[in-house]
Amino acid sequence: MSLLWALIAGEVSVPFAELLGVLAGDRGSFSASIILELRLPRALAAFACGGLLATAGALMQVLLRNPLADPYILGISGGAAVGALGAMVLGAAMFWVDVSAFAGALAAMLLVFGLAHGDGSWTQTRLLLTGVIVAAGCGAAVSLMLALAPDTRVMSMLFWMMGDASAASRPWPALAVLALALVAVMPFARDLNVLARGELTARALGVRVGHLRVALYVLASLLTATAVTLVGSVGFVGLVVPHLVRLALGNDQRVLIPAAALAGGTLLTLADTAARTVMAPQQLPVGVLTALIGVPVFLFLLSRSPRGTP
């Protein structure tokens, strides 16, 4: 339903009957051009990005056993921002902006894991602290680039940082990554259920905790890198969506992970559709709307918890 609304709504409204005709194969109308060339790629990109972030958030929260864990907590978003904005400052084409964003995200991931590994034994706390420091360094680099960038490029750089799906014309690789990630994770859902009860319990029941953590940390980082490369920095989806799904469906990872992917994709699709229709023809950054939604929802979840954590 969210995808259908994204195809119908906009500055030029498309009647539902025309939408059905386009989906049935009518390619000659003006509505077909709007739907197939503009709205469908953007809606699928938003859905893929939301699904990637929510899946990564669900994995990070169960792995770190921290309800405040977020896909961006390891500095992945900051690394992607440094790569993308560096390419924009140099005036590179959008393809190279995407490549630079993904390379920056992977570089940040390798840096965090390399520094956190240290003498060969890293802990959750050490990994989190390293991610926070790397993210702070990336934030300083981003501020420097914004200060030095030409005025003609600052606006596009700011929109990318706040999340912008308007330029996402190639959603299929991200959708493929999301589907493959779910296929790869689901066989380990039982192990994640056991790990959520504690590391000692998981080890006693035969779960290879070390290998599982490394594999899923890397997977969550790649999911985040793909999402940030596609749409830019979009906050609160990976933090709030897993909480809401957990409240509605429980903490069984066999249900939680695919449901979080579906809910995250739906939320970001709705937010992006609202971002381009609320003040049409002016478009808002989708990251602003997700923050406006996520902050009160998270505060509500926080107020419901007797111990101060969602």
Side-chain angles (χ1 to χ4, degrees), residues 1-11 39 42-43 46 165 266-280 283 286 289:
M1 292 178 66
S2 65
L3 288 172
L4 289 176
W5 183 50
L7 298 180
I8 292 173
E11 187 178 1
R39 293 182 184 173
R42 179 168 180 167
T266 301
L267 173 63
L268 199 56
T269 303
L270 294 174
D272 182 63
T273 304
R276 63 179 175 81
T277 57
V278 169
M279 298 183 64
Q283 298 190 26
V286 66
L289 289 187

Side-chain angles (χ1 to χ4, degrees), residues 34-58:
I34 293 177
I35 292 172
L36 299 178
E37 296 177 15
L38 298 176
R39 293 182 184 173
L40 182 60
R42 179 168 180 167
L44 291 176
F47 184 87
C49 180
L52 290 167
L53 291 176
T55 303

Side-chain angles (χ1 to χ4, degrees), residues 43 49 81 124 127 164 226 238 268 284:
C49 180
Q124 297 174 2
L127 186 67
D164 181 20
T226 304
L268 199 56
L284 302 174

Side-chain angles (χ1 to χ4, degrees), residues 158-178:
L158 288 175
F159 254 76
W160 189 94
M161 288 184 60
M162 292 184 289
D164 181 20
S166 61
S169 60
R170 299 178 297 274
W172 306 110
L175 288 171
V177 169
L178 176 60

Side-chain angles (χ1 to χ4, degrees), residues 139-161:
V142 166
S143 299
L144 179 62
M145 284 189 285
L146 287 174
L148 299 178
D151 294 340
T152 55
R153 294 175 184 155
V154 170
M155 186 58 66
S156 61
M157 294 167 70
L158 288 175
F159 254 76
W160 189 94
M161 288 184 60

Side-chain angles (χ1 to χ4, degrees), residues 33-283:
S33 299
I34 293 177
I35 292 172
L36 299 178
E37 296 177 15
L38 298 176
R39 293 182 184 173
L40 182 60
R42 179 168 180 167
L44 291 176
F47 184 87
C49 180
L52 290 167
L53 291 176
T55 303
L59 293 176
M60 295 297 294
Q61 288 172 13
V62 69
L63 286 173
L64 297 176
R65 300 186 66 197
N66 186 340
L68 299 179
D70 174 83
Y72 297 148
I73 202 168
L74 297 182
I76 308 300
S77 176
V82 170
L85 298 187
M88 290 180 186
V89 168
L90 297 176
M94 185 54 64
F95 171 78
W96 292 110
V97 172
D98 293 343
V99 171
S100 299
F102 194 76
L106 292 183
M109 180 191 73
L110 294 176
L111 179 62
V112 169
F113 279 95
L115 294 176
H117 191 265
D119 58 0
S121 59
W122 54 267
T123 62
Q124 297 174 2
T125 302
R126 186 169 184 170
L127 186 67
L128 288 172
L129 291 176
T130 306
V132 169
I133 295 301
V134 170
C138 291
V142 166
S143 299
L144 179 62
M145 284 189 285
L146 287 174
L148 299 178
D151 294 340
T152 55
R153 294 175 184 155
V154 170
M155 186 58 66
S156 61
M157 294 167 70
L158 288 175
F159 254 76
W160 189 94
M161 288 184 60
M162 292 184 289
D164 181 20
S166 61
S169 60
R170 299 178 297 274
W172 306 110
L175 288 171
V177 169
L178 176 60
L180 291 175
L182 291 175
V183 171
V185 166
M186 292 313 297
F188 299 98
R190 174 194 168 275
D191 293 342
L192 290 173
N193 282 335
V194 177
L195 184 61
R197 298 180 177 273
E199 182 176 337
L200 293 178
T201 302
R203 292 184 185 278
L205 293 175
V207 177
R208 301 177 67 182
V209 175
H211 293 84
L212 180 64
R213 275 184 174 164
V214 171
L216 294 183
Y217 279 142
V218 172
L219 178 60
S221 299
L222 291 176
L223 295 180
T224 306
T226 304
V228 174
T229 301
L230 182 65
V231 176
S233 297
V234 178
F236 285 95
V237 174
L239 178 63
V240 172
V241 169
H243 282 312
L244 296 177
V245 174
R246 194 175 292 114
L247 287 175
L249 302 177
N251 201 31
D252 186 348
Q253 304 302 316
R254 295 171 295 181
V255 177
L256 175 64
I257 292 175
L262 179 61
T266 301
L267 173 63
L268 199 56
T269 303
L270 294 174
D272 182 63
T273 304
R276 63 179 175 81
T277 57
V278 169
M279 298 183 64
Q282 184 177 357
Q283 298 190 26

